[in-house]
Amino acid sequence: MKPIDADALLARLGRWSAGRGPLHLLLARRLRELVEAGELPPGARLPPERDLARRLAIGRSTLVAAYELLRREGLLTRRQGSGTWVAGTAEDGMTARVGGTSHPMFLGFLEPPDGVLQMACAAPDAPPPALLDAYRAALDRMGSITGDLGYHPGGHPALRDALARSYADRGIPTAPDEILVTTGAQQALALLVRHWVSPGDAVLVEGPTYPGMLEPLREAAADPVWAARDRDGLDVEAWCRTLVERRPAFAYLVPTFHNPTGTVIPSLVRRRLVETAVAHDVPIVDDEVLSGLSFVGDPPPGLAAFGPAGRIVSVGSLSKIVWGGLRIGWIRADRDLIARLARLKATQDLGGDVPAQLAAAELVPNIPALSRHRARLLRARHDHLCARLATDLPDWRFRPVEGGQTLWIRLPHGDGGSFAQTAMRHGVAVLPGSSLHPAGADADCVRISFLADVGVLNEAVDRLVRAWNAYPAQPRTNTVPSGIAV
Ligand SMILES: Cc1ncc(COP(=O)(O)O)c(C=O)c1O
């Protein structure tokens, strides 16, 4: 049997090193859990020792000690020269048992809190007072509901109406039936993939991009093609050329405070991207989730301002300016597409939570003020983190950003994957660059968020410094060119 893919195993190991005690015991404990849960089935062959040890940023002897322990417990079989297996007879191999995501960002949400400082995930860490007030108002409203079963697959009318008005206020005329309310922007992205993509279809993304789009594409067996980014942002020529040559099912962009790099596509370029896509009949998805987080005044208008609703689909959310726990996102598109997406959503959940939608309807008129408040806070944290990194980790390369929540850091040596393992052992989670790229490029990068308050940021940088000092100079593992690749 082929060895289990090292990346898949790494993802399953998750935060294996976050506890106390010698590394080989921590690793053995996590492997034991995987074997006992059936995630590593009998007969599954483990990746070559040297490769796995390097990716875990541990010595080979530590890995061997963990394996030996499990061999003595009867869980593993080892044979000199030919590798290590899960004891028992081969059944259906690892992948047959393992469903769902194995992406470190998603798995991070599934891990129990364990004292590791979160610089890998990016969202406010407490509901703001405005949300509590909005819920109070929503509860009052609920007291007078009659004749409403509460199932609204397209979204509660009050929230669709409020969102339509907020687009109109920004100069983008929108009717309530051109809005679909979703369970966070994540469901919006997943619904769009489900609607447009058949196995093998090309989808044009940026490299790197938000992993929450890459995972639904992977599940749908799409063929993600990408336009690389240069120092200033998207490589526009490459994007247009790829779109024309590959005619993707759709193109996905995060033009405003791009996740992970934080760059903004200027208005003139937005116009060109939209015109190219419309001319070739390719829909564009504008992920506007971070667009409210500007440190320096208003960013350029969303792509919807530059083209017809039929081809430009906007995705938004209250997660970053209010709270992720609210789980309110939306899609703005033409009414035919919205009606089809609402039918898809109906089969998943019959519609979202009504109290949350009524609270959101209270908040939406205040989006500009909520955004300004959140952005002010983030700017102070961003400036603090940049100053600390410049002083304490001077050979890390990054550009300060003008909005958003994350910094994109290029490491001077080694790779983001094995450094993330080292950082985890020092109590801080960062996201490896390769996990944000459709082909695993940008392996020399990590994404870190600046959401925490200054005290936590200071502690996180102290831990990163200790991790970096403990991190040996390593050759790069990534061979994917980071130039323009399709
Ligand atoms: C660019 C981008 N799109 C979508 C999402 C998902 O947002 P939500 O929490 O609303 O599902 C995120 C969350 O980090 C994001 O950064």
Side-chain angles (χ1 to χ4, degrees), residues 29-53:
R29 184 183 67 184
R30 182 72 186 123
L31 284 167
R32 189 183 297 114
E33 282 169 5
L34 293 177
V35 171
E36 285 171 357
E39 291 210 30
L40 289 175
R45 188 164 160 205
L46 298 178
E49 280 167 16
R50 194 187 302 276
D51 181 34
L52 187 59

Side-chain angles (χ1 to χ4, degrees), residues 16 20-30 32 62 65-66 69:
W16 64 273
R20 287 180 187 279
L23 285 178
H24 73 282
L25 293 185
L26 294 174
L27 182 58
R29 184 183 67 184
R30 182 72 186 123
R32 189 183 297 114
T62 305
L69 193 65

Side-chain angles (χ1 to χ4, degrees), residues 122 184-186 189 210 252 254 259 287 289-290 317 319-320 327:
Q186 188 58 41
L189 301 181
Y210 170 59
Y252 171 71
V254 188
N259 183 346
D287 185 332
V289 166
L290 302 164
S317 165
S319 291
K320 310 302 171 184
R327 306 311 300 134

Side-chain angles (χ1 to χ4, degrees), residues 3-4 6 9 27 45-68 76-85:
I4 293 161
L9 180 57
L27 182 58
R45 188 164 160 205
L46 298 178
E49 280 167 16
R50 194 187 302 276
D51 181 34
L52 187 59
R54 188 179 46 71
R55 285 160 180 267
L56 290 170
I58 57 177
R60 195 166 163 188
S61 57
T62 305
L63 180 62
V64 169
Y67 280 177
E68 273 303 307
L76 295 184
T77 307
R78 288 167 55 69
R79 208 166 301 138
Q80 189 74 37
S82 48
T84 302
W85 287 264

Side-chain angles (χ1 to χ4, degrees), residues 110-441:
L110 293 163
E111 299 271 0
D114 52 10
V116 171
L117 299 181
Q118 262 310 332
M119 295 188 101
C121 301
D125 66 357
L131 180 57
L132 307 188
D133 293 342
Y135 260 98
R136 280 185 205 105
L139 286 181
D140 286 347
R141 241 175 122 162
M142 281 182 61
S144 56
I145 293 177
T146 54
D148 176 1
L149 294 182
Y151 295 111
H152 301 281
H156 192 281
L159 181 53
R160 296 177 92 179
D161 196 49
L163 287 166
R165 278 172 207 271
S166 103
Y167 275 100
D169 289 348
R170 282 179 279 149
I172 300 175
T174 304
D177 61 359
E178 291 172 319
I179 298 284
L180 175 80
V181 177
T182 56
T183 304
Q186 188 58 41
Q187 188 188 40
L189 301 181
L191 285 174
L192 290 166
V193 170
R194 188 146 163 243
H195 174 66
W196 271 322
V197 177
S198 301
D201 281 354
V203 174
L204 179 54
V205 298
E206 296 164 90
T209 190
Y210 170 59
M213 175 51 97
L214 294 177
E215 284 297 276
L217 291 179
R218 187 186 53 74
E219 275 183 354
D223 175 16
V225 294
W226 72 96
R229 304 172 54 84
D230 54 27
R231 233 177 102 72
D232 297 315
L234 181 68
D235 182 331
V236 179
E237 296 305 324
W239 191 90
C240 293
R241 196 172 54 246
T242 309
L243 183 133
V244 174
E245 282 169 8
R246 296 298 303 267
R247 290 296 183 91
F250 70 97
Y252 171 71
L253 286 166
V254 188
T256 316
F257 310 126
H258 174 252
N259 183 346
T261 63
T263 54
V264 178
I265 297 181
S267 286
L268 273 179
V269 177
R270 288 177 190 233
R271 184 173 300 286
R272 170 146 181 233
L273 300 178
V274 167
E275 283 171 1
T276 307
V278 169
H280 293 86
D281 204 21
V282 173
I284 305 192
V285 175
D286 176 356
D287 185 332
E288 302 183 301
V289 166
L290 302 164
S291 62
L293 302 177
S294 174
F295 306 164
V296 289
D298 290 339
L303 298 185
F306 298 91
R311 298 326 264 164
I312 319 294
V313 174
S314 311
V315 170
S317 165
L318 292 181
S319 291
K320 310 302 171 184
I321 53 172
V322 181
W323 192 44
L326 186 57
R327 306 311 300 134
I328 294 289
W330 59 87
I331 299 175
R332 177 198 178 270
D334 73 62
R335 57 179 57 82
D336 289 345
L337 179 56
I338 291 295
R340 275 176 276 145
L341 293 169
R343 288 200 289 274
L344 271 184
K345 183 174 154 68
T347 66
Q348 296 188 350
D349 58 13
L350 293 176
D353 174 279
V354 168
Q357 293 184 66
L358 291 177
E362 299 287 328
L363 293 165
V364 165
N366 295 328
I367 283 179
L370 289 163
S371 300
R372 277 196 301 276
H373 175 76
R374 184 82 199 139
R376 251 199 315 276
L377 195 90
L378 284 174
R379 181 182 192 162
R381 294 172 179 186
H382 163 269
D383 293 354
H384 182 78
L385 179 62
C386 290
R388 283 280 331 252
L389 291 177
T391 315
D392 293 18
L393 289 160
D395 50 353
W396 284 18
R397 293 277 155 259
F398 67 94
R399 273 192 167 186
V401 295
E402 297 191 338
Q405 323 186 102
T406 54
L407 289 180
W408 184 237
I409 309 234
R410 210 163 276 281
L411 302 173
H413 62 78
D415 65 273
S418 58
F419 177 67
Q421 291 285 327
T422 309
M424 182 74 71
R425 291 207 288 283
H426 287 80
V428 55
V430 302
L431 208 53
S434 58
S435 69
L436 296 126
H437 194 284

